[in-house]
């Protein structure tokens, strides 16, 4: 194989696929990136058998072929090459020569045909949305997946399509995040649970451009994201996702409207007095047109009042401050509505059209 390509194209391609390189494997080939030059296309692939990424890069193919190169070493080498054209040539013993200006590396590769290709995905069920929308939807829900591997389904997100609607849901046992998206056209219904790791890697790769689309294909076992020159294939999490509809009651005893930034800044200040391990709740006292937030810990105490609009009863309730801040950071609205029932029932933060719904369980406190 012999190819010539631009350093920046090579770096960006290797950077994209290296997100699927396995770092805890007994199969050395999975620590490699496959580079393949054939039919006028240079393709880079990485695959840890859960997540696989393939991307095409621009360049000239002087001789077709393929080779598997150690991902970490290859990435470090191409990153540190001069900004110019890079020539990569391989011989029959799978040795690769990488040349750029006066720098010349010789590294040992592995036979390309040993590398596990990405699974072929049937393209029967799909949806199309903008890269911007997908990136936003993940950002606005990913924080409430669980990192507890004992409960696999909670480590992923539900993607549910019905007609012209996409619902994305995540939960960790203390909170639920839901985003409802209006799609441009109607699609066949499907329901899949996508691993959180896959979604986190997707957000690092997609540009978030509102003018560029991503097509998502699903089968019973896999999900495929296709965008620009890249394909990301992931296994799905198996099992029936939690039925959350019965948790989403529209009853409330108290509704408040509050300035989002003021509320977020206030909780942020209060959090100065607690350490992660403290598990100290912030206590919120809602009375007519006023929300008083207070916290007391080993370090001291703090109170602050915020003006609000209120409908319904007064209420005194405690929350984990981090859970509130996670939600407030991802909502773009200037003012938000919070619905409460009693100090033991979850609160809901949602907009009028329910394009987002966040449910947070309260915590007990001594007052």
């Amino acid at each position: 194989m012999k190819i010539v390509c631009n350093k920046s194209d090579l770096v960006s391609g290797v950077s994209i696929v290296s997100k699927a390189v396995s770092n805890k494997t007994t199969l050395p080939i999975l620590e490699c990136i496959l580079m393949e030059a054939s039919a006028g296309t240079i393709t880079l692939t990485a695959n840890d058998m859960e997540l696989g990424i393939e991307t095409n890069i621009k360049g000239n193919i002087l001789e077709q072929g393929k080779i598997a190169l150690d991902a970490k070493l290859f990435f470090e080498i191409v990153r540190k090459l001069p900004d110019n054209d890079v020539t990569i040539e391989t011989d029959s013993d799978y040795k690769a020569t990488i040349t750029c200006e006066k720098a010349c590396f010789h590294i040992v590769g592995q036979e390309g045909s040993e590398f596990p290709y990405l699974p072929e995905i049937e393209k029967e069920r799909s949806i199309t949305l903008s890269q911007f929308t997908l990136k936003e939807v993940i950002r606005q829900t990913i924080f409430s997946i669980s990192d507890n591997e004992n409960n696999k389904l909670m480590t992923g997100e539900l993607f549910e399509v019905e007609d012209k609607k996409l619902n994305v849901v995540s939960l960790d046992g203390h909170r639920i995040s839901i985003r409802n998206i209006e799609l441009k056209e109607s699609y066949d219904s499907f329901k899949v649970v996508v691993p959180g790791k896959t979604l986190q890697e997707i957000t690092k790769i997609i540009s978030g451009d509102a003018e560029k689309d991503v097509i998502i294909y699903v089968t019973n076992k896999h999900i495929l994201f296709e965008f620009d020159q890249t394909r990301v294939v992931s296994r799905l999490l198996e099992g029936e996702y939690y039925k959350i509809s019965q948790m989403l009651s529209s009853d409330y005893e108290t509704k408040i409207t509050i300035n989002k930034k003021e509320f977020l800044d206030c909780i942020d200040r209060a959090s100065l007095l607690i350490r992660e391990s403290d598990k100290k709740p912030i206590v919120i006292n809602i009375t007519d047109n006023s929300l008083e937030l207070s916290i007391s810990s080993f370090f001291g105490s703090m109170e602050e009042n915020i003006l609000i609009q209120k409908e319904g009863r007064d209420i005194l309730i405690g929350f984990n401050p981090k859970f509130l801040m996670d939600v407030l950071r991802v909502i773009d609205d200037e003012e938000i509505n919070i619905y409460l029932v009693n100090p033991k029932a979850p609160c809901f933060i949602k907009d009028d059209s329910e394009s987002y719904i966040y449910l947070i369980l309260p915590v007990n406190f001594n007052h």
Side-chain angles (χ1 to χ4, degrees), residues 46-159:
N47 185 2
D48 70 4
M49 308 310 278
E50 295 284 326
L51 174 69
I53 303 176
E54 184 181 277
T55 194
N56 297 339
I57 58 171
K58 293 202 281 276
N60 291 332
I61 299 172
L62 307 176
E63 200 181 309
Q64 297 196 359
K66 58 182 166 188
I67 189 167
L69 298 169
D70 179 281
K72 208 168 172 194
L73 179 62
F74 186 41
F75 190 26
E76 287 305 321
I77 289 173
V78 296
R79 233 163 40 97
K80 293 186 175 176
L81 288 173
D83 293 333
N84 211 325
D85 281 353
V86 180
T87 304
I88 300 175
E89 194 168 358
T90 63
D91 65 16
S92 54
D93 297 330
Y94 309 112
K95 288 198 179 73
T97 304
I98 303 169
T99 338
C100 182
E101 290 182 7
K102 296 188 175 115
C104 182
F105 283 89
H106 303 280
I107 62 171
V108 180
Q110 294 184 56
E111 194 180 340
S113 54
E114 299 284 310
F115 195 87
Y117 278 95
L118 302 192
E120 273 304 313
I121 303 297
E122 287 173 17
K123 296 188 170 180
E124 283 176 16
R125 290 182 295 172
S126 73
I127 60 167
T128 302
L129 64 166
S130 76
Q131 290 192 26
F132 172 78
T133 301
L134 181 60
K135 197 165 182 156
E136 281 294 279
V137 162
I138 298 171
R139 178 181 74 90
Q140 289 164 339
T141 50
I142 198 79
F143 58 84
S144 59
I145 60 169
S146 170
D147 52 11
N148 182 350
E149 286 295 323
N150 296 332
N151 204 325
K152 272 289 192 209
L153 282 173
M154 283 192 185
T155 63
E157 293 199 356
L158 174 73
F159 273 56

Side-chain angles (χ1 to χ4, degrees), residues 8-18 44 55 57:
S8 68
D9 291 340
L10 187 57
V11 170
S12 113
V14 174
S15 157
I16 286 171
V17 297
S18 61
L44 301 172
T55 194
I57 58 171

Side-chain angles (χ1 to χ4, degrees), residues 341-360:
V341 179
N342 64 50
K344 299 265 186 271
C347 88
F348 289 88
I349 300 175
K350 57 184 180 180
D351 59 344
D352 293 341
S353 63
E354 297 198 345
S355 74
Y356 62 80
I357 303 172
Y358 296 102
L359 175 155
I360 304 172

Side-chain angles (χ1 to χ4, degrees), residues 2 76 79 102 170 174 183 201-202 220 283 296 304 312:
K2 185 174 183 182
E76 287 305 321
R79 233 163 40 97
K102 296 188 175 115
S170 69
H174 304 283
L183 297 167
E201 298 307 349
I202 286 277
N220 293 340
V283 177
S296 72
E304 187 170 344

